[in-house]
Amino acid sequence: MSSSPQSTVPATHLEFHAPGQGRGLRDVFANQFLLKRIVNKEIQVRYRASVLGLVWSYIKPAIQFAVYFVAMGVFLGLNKGLPNYAIYMFSGIVVMNLFTEVFGNSARIIVGNGDLIKKIYLPRELFPVSSLWVAWIHFFPQVAILLVVDLIVGWHPTLMQLVAFVVGFVIVSVFALALGLVFGTANVFFRDSENFVDLINMVVTWLSPVLYMWVLVANTLPHWAVTLYKFNPLTTAVELFHDAFWASTVNGEIPYEVWHVMPHLFSSWTPIALVLSFGTLLVGDLLFRHFEGKFAQEL
C-alpha cells in the first residue's frame, strides 16, 4: 500500500528573541502603525473632557512668554539692552518647552502605561518615542507663532539660519529622548526618579541663555565654567534658534559688547552638541534594552 505524497511547506527563517528583549529603537521603525495608535491614545487621554483641546498648545506658551517677558524684560530691563528681546526670549522658550515635555513625559510613560505593558508585549521603546511625537504636535504651533512675529518685524533668514533651526531641532529632540530613556528606565525601579526629572525641568531654563544674554555668562563666569556651560547641548540648541529666528531681525543693531563674544556655532559647538546628544541616545537605548525585560514584573 503506497503512502500518499505529502505536501512540503517551504521552511522560513525565523528569528527568535528572549521575551521582553528587542532591537531597541530600531523596532520603532518596524512598528509605525502601533506608534501612531499610541500617539493617538496619548493625545486623547491628555485632552479627554477638555473643551479647548489642542488650543492649549497656544495658550500655555503665550502665558509663559508673558510672565517671563514682564519679569525679565520689563522689571529687570533686559529688553532695553537687546533689540527684539521678545523674539530672543521666545526663541529659547520654544526649545525649552520641547525639551521639558519630551523629557518629562518619556520619563514617566512606561510607569503610566504599566497595565498595558503587563498584559501584552510590544516594543517598549514605542512609548517614549510617542512622547516625542506628541511634543512635536505641541511644538510646531509655537514655531508658527514665532514665525508670524518674525515676519512682522522683517525676518529675512539665510540658508545657514534655516539649517540652524533644523540642527537645533534635532539636537533638542534627540537629547530629550535620550534622557527620557535613561530616566524612564530608572523610574520603573526607583520612583524617586520622577523627582529628579522635575528638578531638572525646573532649573534647565536657567542653565541656557533663554531669558538672559550669552554675554552675561561669558563676562561673569571663569573660563572653565564657561567651557562647561558650552557642553550643555541645550545651550547650543538655544543659540541655534537665536541664530535662526532672532539674529536676522536685528541686522546690525546688536551691541558690540554682545556680538563680539557670541559663539561661533558651526565651528565647534554644534558638532560637539550633536555628538553628545546622539552619544547619550546610544547609552539610553542600550540601558533601556538591558532592563526592559524586567519592566513587566517590576510594574
Side-chain angles (χ1 to χ4, degrees):
M1 182 175 178
S2 61
S3 58
S4 58
Q6 296 181 352
S7 60
T8 59
V9 179
T12 58
H13 175 70
L14 297 177
E15 184 178 358
F16 295 97
H17 299 281
Q21 294 182 352
R23 300 179 302 163
L25 290 173
R26 289 178 295 173
D27 283 332
V28 174
F29 298 100
N31 293 273
Q32 294 292 316
F33 175 77
L34 284 176
L35 177 61
K36 293 177 182 178
R37 298 297 297 175
I38 295 175
V39 170
N40 290 335
K41 179 186 77 69
E42 292 297 320
I43 291 291
Q44 292 172 6
V45 169
R46 180 171 304 191
Y47 295 112
R48 180 180 298 164
S50 173
V51 176
L52 297 179
L54 285 173
V55 176
W56 286 109
S57 300
Y58 298 88
I59 297 176
K60 289 181 179 180
I63 294 176
Q64 181 186 25
F65 166 77
V67 170
Y68 280 140
F69 182 77
V70 172
M72 304 297 295
V74 178
F75 292 163
L76 297 182
L78 293 181
N79 63 323
K80 298 177 181 178
L82 199 64
N84 291 338
Y85 173 73
I87 295 176
Y88 179 92
M89 184 180 67
F90 195 63
S91 300
I93 286 178
V94 296
V95 174
M96 289 303 164
N97 285 347
L98 176 59
F99 172 81
T100 55
E101 182 173 358
V102 176
F103 178 40
N105 291 339
S106 59
R108 292 179 170 86
I109 196 169
I110 296 297
V111 173
N113 286 274
D115 291 339
L116 178 60
I117 290 174
K118 287 186 290 186
K119 290 178 181 178
I120 61 173
Y121 174 75
L122 69 166
R124 275 62 162 142
E125 289 83 1
L126 290 172
F127 292 102
V129 173
S130 71
S131 295
L132 179 63
W133 276 39
V134 173
W136 286 346
I137 293 174
H138 297 145
F139 168 76
F140 286 107
Q142 299 176 44
V143 173
I145 295 174
L146 181 58
L147 285 174
V148 170
V149 177
D150 265 343
L151 291 173
I152 291 175
V153 300
W155 183 55
H156 298 290
T158 65
L159 177 61
M160 288 303 297
Q161 287 171 327
L162 296 178
V163 171
F165 162 69
V166 174
V167 176
F169 171 71
V170 170
I171 290 173
V172 67
S173 297
V174 171
F175 190 56
L177 177 60
L179 293 182
L181 289 171
V182 173
F183 281 85
T185 301
N187 195 38
V188 173
F189 302 94
F190 308 101
R191 297 298 192 272
D192 287 344
S193 300
E194 292 190 10
N195 295 319
F196 285 104
V197 172
D198 291 336
L199 287 174
I200 293 173
N201 279 344
M202 182 174 63
V203 303
V204 71
T205 300
W206 301 95
L207 298 178
S208 296
V210 176
L211 307 176
Y212 53 85
M213 293 171 286
W214 156 254
V215 64
L216 297 177
V217 177
N219 292 341
T220 304
L221 297 180
H223 180 72
W224 66 267
V226 175
T227 301
L228 185 63
Y229 184 85
K230 290 180 180 180
F231 275 91
N232 176 10
L234 294 180
T235 297
T236 300
V238 169
E239 286 300 312
L240 286 168
F241 269 60
H242 285 159
D243 189 55
F245 296 106
W246 171 73
S248 63
T249 68
V250 295
N251 297 322
E253 301 178 38
I254 305 177
Y256 173 78
E257 62 272 14
V258 174
W259 69 258
H260 91 282
V261 295
M262 289 183 69
H264 299 288
L265 293 172
F266 289 100
S267 59
S268 60
W269 277 42
T270 299
I272 291 174
L274 285 169
V275 170
L276 288 174
S277 297
F278 280 97
T280 308
L281 182 64
L282 176 61
V283 172
D285 187 33
L286 292 174
L287 184 70
F288 195 95
R289 290 175 60 188
H290 180 75
F291 287 103
E292 67 173 329
K294 300 178 182 180
F295 284 178
Q297 67 188 52
E298 291 292 332
L299 294 170

